[in-house]
Amino acid sequence: MPNQRQTVIILGATGLVGSQLLSLALSDQRIASVCAPTRRPLRTHLKLSNPVIDYDKLPDADWWQADAILCALGTTIKQAGNKTAFRTVDHDYVLAAAKRSKAAGCRIFVLNSSLGADASSGNLYLKVKGEIEQALAKLGFESLTFIRPSLLDGGPRPERRYGEEIGLWFGTRLNALIPKRYRPISTQAVAKAMLDAALRPKQGVHIIESEDLHHSIGKS
């Protein structure tokens, strides 16, 4: 794949991982421009275009024509309000955006998924993550990467997630006793892995598990 400066789309740029990803992309000299469609306006930047959109009515627009799309879009059942709304965000919105970008000629897609993503899982969160991975794999991107982090460690969230907070509390204090696969991982490490997958793409479908993210930190 060519080495010229890239144009990228970032979905979910207001979230913990997405905001880290946006910051990294805007400061990366390998990237010529960033398009970050959001529900509410972002701070302006010379390299940033920021269309304000409704994910229920994705527009036909020239900005879908990018080299890579990086998706950090996601929610929780509690935040979404119910199971149907959760699936709409984590599956339907992601797939709709992927189809738009693929039709516009985008060759590279990177998804922030989850440790344990499995379409056959009895856990709804992991089941939906597995289903969207399967759906994306059928679209035929030249390079498709799934990042599967464990618990995300990125500082306070706008909303309280008590189960996550408890997991992080134990994870940080018992870190040495927990296999790397299950240790909390920083949002910055996830964002960096996503950007690297987009800027140094490999042909085909690839999965980067949470333990691989920890190994990458050790090498950096």
Side-chain angles (χ1 to χ4, degrees):
M1 293 186 182
N3 292 320
Q4 70 266 21
R5 297 177 75 207
Q6 305 290 291
T7 59
V8 301
I9 297 171
I10 296 177
L11 303 180
T14 58
L16 283 183
V17 172
S19 58
Q20 291 270 8
L21 184 55
L22 179 62
S23 178
L24 288 175
L26 290 175
S27 63
D28 197 306
Q29 295 303 310
R30 295 171 293 178
I31 295 177
S33 63
V34 178
C35 178
T38 55
R39 293 181 183 273
R40 60 181 187 273
L42 300 172
R43 293 180 61 181
T44 59
H45 188 284
L46 289 176
K47 285 172 60 172
L48 176 66
S49 62
N50 177 218
V52 176
I53 65 165
D54 180 350
Y55 273 97
D56 289 314
K57 300 176 182 178
L58 288 178
D60 290 319
D62 292 341
W63 50 259
W64 288 112
Q65 299 172 10
D67 294 304
I69 182 166
L70 299 101
C71 182
L73 189 65
T75 186
T76 63
I77 297 173
K78 180 179 179 180
Q79 187 178 13
N82 57 62
K83 295 178 180 179
T84 300
F86 161 71
R87 180 181 173 81
T88 296
V89 175
D90 280 53
H91 183 282
D92 298 349
Y93 287 171
V94 174
L95 184 58
K99 287 180 177 179
R100 293 272 185 175
S101 63
K102 182 65 169 60
C106 184
R107 301 170 295 108
I108 303 162
F109 195 100
V110 183
L111 175 71
N112 180 32
S113 184
S114 173
L115 175 68
D118 183 351
S120 63
S121 175
N123 177 289
L124 179 64
Y125 182 84
L126 299 180
K127 177 180 175 65
V128 170
K129 291 297 187 183
E131 287 176 345
I132 187 57
E133 287 188 1
Q134 288 186 348
L136 292 172
K138 294 177 182 178
L139 296 184
F141 285 98
E142 288 183 30
S143 177
L144 176 62
T145 303
F146 303 129
I147 311 291
R148 292 180 174 176
S150 182
L151 279 175
L152 293 173
D153 186 1
R157 292 181 181 270
E159 78 289 346
R160 298 297 299 274
R161 297 185 182 181
Y162 292 102
E164 186 177 273
E165 290 175 15
I166 292 170
L168 287 171
W169 190 90
F170 280 103
T172 54
R173 284 157 180 78
L174 302 176
N175 192 61
L177 302 177
I178 300 173
K180 283 187 176 181
R181 180 176 179 81
Y182 301 105
R183 294 177 190 172
I185 186 74
S186 72
T187 52
Q188 186 174 25
V190 176
K192 185 177 183 302
M194 292 181 70
L195 193 61
D196 285 346
L199 295 178
R200 295 189 292 181
K202 298 178 181 178
Q203 295 280 347
V205 180
H206 302 273
I207 297 173
I208 300 178
E209 298 284 5
S210 203
E211 61 265 37
D212 299 321
L213 297 174
H214 282 287
H215 290 313
S216 297
I217 294 172
K219 293 177 181 177
S220 62

